[in-house]
Amino acid sequence: MKHYYSDLHIHLGRTPSGRPVKITGSDSLTIDNILTEAFYRKGMDIVGVIDCHVPEILEHLKSMASDGAVDELADGGVQYQGLTLMLGTEIEVYDHHCHGPAHVLAFFPYIHKIEQFSQWLAQHVTNITLSTQRYFGTIQALQTKIHDLDGLFIPAHIFTPFKSAYGVAVKRSLGEIFDLDQIDAVELGLSADTGMADQIPELHQFTFLTNSDAHSTPKIAREYQTFAMEAPTFSEFRRVLKKQGNRNVVANYGLNPRLGKYHKTCCAICFHQIRDDVRVCPYCGSQRIITGVSNRLQELKSEHGKSPERPPYIHQVPLEFIPKVGPKTLTKLITAFGSEMNVMHEVSTAELQDVVGRQVANLIVKGRDGSLAFETGGAGRYGRVKDE
């Protein structure tokens, strides 16, 4: 059994012809750039691009396969060099059961399978060429269609205050809007970790995923996980989620939730932290108070049910968040050590010091083990690592 680094939530900013996909995504987020960045600079083994439903992207992938630039794997997934691409899509659901919109992810084993799903989805959204479109139909029909096509269904960033299951869509339980038997895993999001999520007993049955939700290439792998699997294929990925045959998540790597941009309840205008029972900001008078993930979990948590044994959740600070690690220093590190994953996991403190000096090397090591000091984020603003 081998271990593979994986980030399964990466957006596309543009198609090969320059058409927009994710409006808020960087223009540099093309399928080609994502594959090369993730493989050569980040050192990832598996990536999920969650806008592969776009027809132009599907045609481009088929062209790449025809030209030999990528290979479709017999057990699912698309291989580029030593990197496996999982073919995904993100969808916004909001039927009569929901109290607000929620985002979900779906992954499919082969290009022809996600192409069939795209053709079906085009009948239920306004614009199939864009990312994360509002789906018009019942959520259970969507779940059933995904599984009929051998896909996987995963609620995305489930605690964020906007467009997530626990953030706005449900009052207490995922079962209010989803068929729980048709959920394959859940994605935690940047403002929560395993310990926080396991305060909700109904989540004990699901595998937890930690992904970047990258809207630009530098954000790829700011959160990720390591899978234990025989090979980096879709069928093995499915077994990981089901914990079959010693396949599993070995570790989740993510921000300390306090660095997430929705961790604490804050005013969206002046960003001061606010008590839960306050509806008008005492600092600026605004009524735009955004409930934090940690505060929402206090409403949802239960003392019932023993938390399952989970893989470790390792609080890491991504290299780009670390003070004094700017683009030039990052390039120097990657040139010296091959990839960001090598810098974060393999390189010794002494080797780092030889390349970037004692001060920066020590900051990187503290970023690895989550011991950097920082300020808490909220209301859409990330927490900040303090410059020591």
Side-chain angles (χ1 to χ4, degrees):
M1 206 74 66
K2 295 183 179 179
H3 292 179
Y4 298 92
Y5 296 120
S6 61
D7 176 5
L8 297 166
H9 192 148
I10 302 170
H11 280 284
L12 288 168
R14 292 291 184 271
T15 67
S17 69
R19 295 177 181 273
V21 179
K22 184 70 173 179
I23 300 298
T24 56
S26 167
D27 290 354
S28 66
L29 276 174
T30 64
I31 193 72
D32 300 80
N33 287 347
I34 289 170
L35 294 175
T36 55
E37 175 80 10
F39 182 62
Y40 290 108
R41 285 180 63 87
K42 298 292 181 176
M44 303 304 292
D45 300 302
I46 302 169
V47 292
V49 175
I50 49 83
D51 296 314
C52 289
H53 66 279
V54 173
E56 186 179 339
I57 300 302
L58 289 167
E59 290 303 316
H60 184 59
L61 287 169
K62 288 191 287 185
S63 177
M64 293 177 74
S66 177
D67 293 341
V70 299
D71 294 308
E72 281 205 90
L73 300 171
D75 286 334
V78 174
Q79 189 171 61
Y80 167 81
Q81 307 291 345
L83 176 76
T84 298
L85 166 65
M86 296 297 176
L87 303 163
T89 181
E90 185 175 38
I91 306 154
E92 184 169 302
V93 297
Y94 190 8
D95 69 10
H96 62 284
H97 296 292
C98 294
H99 299 280
H103 287 179
V104 300
L105 306 177
F107 294 96
F108 298 90
Y110 307 109
I111 294 173
H112 77 272
K113 289 287 188 179
I114 193 170
E115 187 172 38
Q116 289 176 45
F117 180 74
S118 176
Q119 292 166 356
W120 177 85
L121 186 64
Q123 304 171 50
H124 300 276
V125 299
T126 301
N127 191 341
I128 195 65
T129 70
L130 294 177
S131 172
T132 323
Q133 290 292 284
R134 174 71 63 83
Y135 161 77
F136 296 96
T138 67
I139 296 174
Q140 291 198 11
L142 176 67
Q143 291 182 270
T144 298
K145 185 63 179 181
I146 289 166
H147 287 111
D148 283 349
L149 291 169
D150 301 323
L152 298 167
F153 181 90
I154 301 169
H157 45 73
I158 56 174
F159 297 112
T160 53
F162 304 104
K163 298 185 177 181
S164 75
Y166 288 115
V168 292
V170 304
K171 288 185 177 180
R172 303 292 303 180
S173 168
L174 295 182
E176 294 168 29
I177 61 172
F178 299 124
D179 176 355
L180 296 182
D181 291 335
Q182 294 200 80
I183 293 177
D184 296 292
V186 296
E187 180 188 70
L188 299 185
L190 305 183
S191 295
D193 62 14
T194 296
M196 295 171 65
D198 266 334
Q199 295 176 98
I200 304 176
E202 76 170 347
L203 292 180
H204 294 172
Q205 62 189 297
F206 300 120
T207 296
F208 290 166
L209 298 177
T210 43
N211 301 311
S212 68
D213 196 357
H215 285 51
S216 64
T217 49
K219 296 295 189 292
I220 294 172
R222 62 180 168 182
E223 293 203 344
Y224 54 97
Q225 55 266 304
T226 308
F227 292 149
M229 54 202 331
E230 290 287 353
T233 67
F234 185 89
S235 62
E236 286 286 291
F237 173 40
R238 187 194 300 277
R239 293 186 183 107
V240 165
L241 299 187
K242 304 301 181 185
K243 305 182 184 71
Q244 295 175 342
N246 295 324
R247 281 80 166 175
N248 54 56
V249 176
V250 177
N252 296 97
Y253 296 90
L255 304 178
N256 186 302
R258 290 173 56 196
L259 282 173
K261 61 182 180 179
Y262 295 113
H263 185 65
K264 281 292 187 181
T265 297
C266 291
C267 173
I269 302 301
C270 69
F271 295 103
H272 278 91
Q273 288 189 25
I274 307 295
R275 293 200 325 267
D276 285 346
D277 59 345
V278 173
R279 293 293 174 262
V280 177
C281 176
Y283 300 97
C284 72
S286 170
Q287 296 184 33
R288 293 185 60 194
I289 309 300
I290 308 299
T291 301
V293 169
S294 62
N295 305 83
R296 172 65 170 143
L297 275 164
Q298 292 304 305
E299 302 172 5
L300 294 168
K301 72 178 184 178
S302 170
E303 301 300 326
H304 303 292
K306 182 181 178 181
S307 296
E309 184 176 343
R310 293 280 188 190
Y313 190 106
I314 299 171
H315 292 148
Q316 277 190 173
V317 178
L319 290 173
E320 70 157 344
F321 276 53
I322 296 176
K324 306 186 189 312
V325 181
K328 290 183 179 179
T329 300
L330 186 53
T331 296
K332 183 187 291 187
L333 286 164
I334 291 171
T335 299
F337 303 117
S339 71
E340 287 191 25
M341 290 299 105
N342 284 341
V343 174
M344 293 301 289
H345 295 278
E346 306 296 337
V347 180
S348 70
T349 303
E351 290 172 310
L352 289 170
Q353 289 177 353
D354 288 342
V355 174
V356 294
R358 182 181 299 274
Q359 183 183 25
V360 175
N362 289 342
L363 288 170
I364 291 171
V365 171
K366 287 185 177 182
R368 284 175 174 174
D369 59 26
S371 62
L372 286 170
F374 42 78
E375 297 175 356
T376 302
R381 186 167 70 175
Y382 288 105
R384 185 179 67 87
V385 176
K386 294 181 179 178
D387 194 347
E388 300 185 351

